[in-house]
Amino acid sequence: SYVQIFRAVLRIPSEQGRHKAFSTCLCHPAVVSLFVSTGTFAYLKPPSISSPLLDVVVAVLYLVVPPAVNPLIYSKRNQELK
């Protein structure tokens, strides 16, 4: 679905319209990609690089950062739209 959204945005004729659409749409994929990439790393990392500190860092990135960054990203986007 993100690919279809990006293709539709790229078809917008004006550069200003594309910029506004991308600034509106890119917030969500950024947070989702952070969430998915840290979760994937946590479950697929090789046992040879396992350490308690690394596990804590990955857990914090996975559980704390996306919900904490979400309001900041969306409030910035709302200010740009106004």
Side-chain angles (χ1 to χ4, degrees):
S1 66
Y2 287 130
V3 173
Q4 292 174 341
I5 292 170
F6 290 138
R7 285 188 0 204
V9 168
L10 289 174
R11 283 189 227 130
I12 296 174
S14 71
E15 187 166 334
Q16 184 181 16
R18 281 192 305 268
H19 176 70
K20 188 172 183 178
F22 272 129
S23 69
T24 303
C25 296
L26 287 180
C27 301
H28 186 260
V31 173
V32 169
S33 67
L34 176 67
F35 186 72
V36 170
S37 63
T38 55
T40 302
F41 179 76
Y43 288 106
L44 298 180
K45 69 179 166 59
S48 61
I49 63 167
S50 183
S51 74
L53 179 61
L54 181 63
D55 291 341
V56 168
V57 169
V58 170
V60 167
L61 284 175
Y62 182 71
L63 295 172
V64 175
V65 173
V69 173
N70 237 350
L72 296 173
I73 289 174
Y74 286 110
S75 66
K76 180 183 181 308
R77 183 195 69 179
N78 288 340
Q79 289 173 356
E80 287 177 359
L81 291 176
K82 288 180 184 175

